[in-house]
Every structure is written in structure tokens, then in C-alpha cells.
Amino acid sequence: MKEPCVYITTSKARSVIYIGVTSDLQQRMWKHKNGVTGGFVKKYNVNQLVHYERFESMEEALSREKQLEHWEQAWKNQLVTSHNPYWRDLSQDLW
């Protein structure tokens, strides 16, 4: 499903949060889960999808990503908890 979105992933220990943007969340999560991506994602194994927001355009998604990246950690945690109280891995819902 091609649809611009912002997503938040974390490690199993929830010690690290990663915020990304994509037009194909299912494909991106497959890459996260299978170690295809490099850099921060691979180094910290942030492959648990805990939050995502869909948008009409990539410009809107990119704007939201930049906004979230500047938030304090506590605000990011509250955002995830408000929509996903148990921080369940939502990627299983994509398939």
C-alpha cells in the first residue's frame, strides 16, 4: 500500500526511538525487520513499529517528521502511549 506516513519504531527494550517517513510502510517495516536498512536502524535494532500516522502528501509527512524529531523524549513516549498503551508491535497488522 503506497501512502505517505510517519512512523515510530523502537527496540525490544524500548531504549531507543526512531522516527522515519515513507510512502510504503509495509515495505519499510520489512526492511527494518530483515536488517536491510543500515545506519541507526541497524545499529540499534529499532524494528518494532509502535506508532504511525498517514498523510495525503509526502510534504505533509515530511513536515510532521521534522516536528516529531524536535519533540522531547517524554512527549514522543506520550504520543506512542496515547495510541498504543502497551507499545505493541503494530507491524504484524500490516500483512
Side-chain angles (χ1 to χ4, degrees):
M1 164 190 326
K2 299 263 184 180
E3 187 174 33
C5 68
V6 170
Y7 63 95
I8 299 176
T9 58
T10 190
S11 60
K12 281 193 177 195
R14 297 187 203 161
S15 57
V16 179
I17 283 184
Y18 174 81
I19 299 171
V21 65
T22 184
S23 63
D24 190 339
L25 186 58
Q26 184 178 15
Q27 179 186 36
R28 180 64 55 89
M29 287 312 304
W30 183 89
K31 288 180 177 181
H32 279 272
K33 297 240 178 239
N34 291 283
V36 175
T37 56
F40 186 90
V41 170
K42 189 169 188 170
K43 180 178 180 178
Y44 293 100
N45 199 29
V46 287
N47 63 11
Q48 308 291 305
L49 177 66
V50 292
H51 179 78
Y52 62 94
E53 301 173 14
R54 294 183 171 141
F55 294 90
E56 293 292 319
S57 70
M58 187 56 79
E59 291 78 22
E60 290 174 302
L62 288 167
S63 177
R64 178 65 166 160
E65 177 192 34
K66 298 296 180 215
Q67 178 187 42
L68 292 175
E69 286 175 345
H70 289 97
W71 279 18
E72 294 180 19
Q73 187 67 38
W75 299 352
K76 296 172 192 176
N77 291 346
Q78 181 57 39
L79 175 65
V80 172
T81 302
S82 69
H83 295 277
N84 186 1
Y86 302 106
W87 289 55
R88 184 176 69 82
D89 184 1
L90 304 174
S91 63
Q92 60 193 335
D93 300 341
L94 300 176
W95 287 278

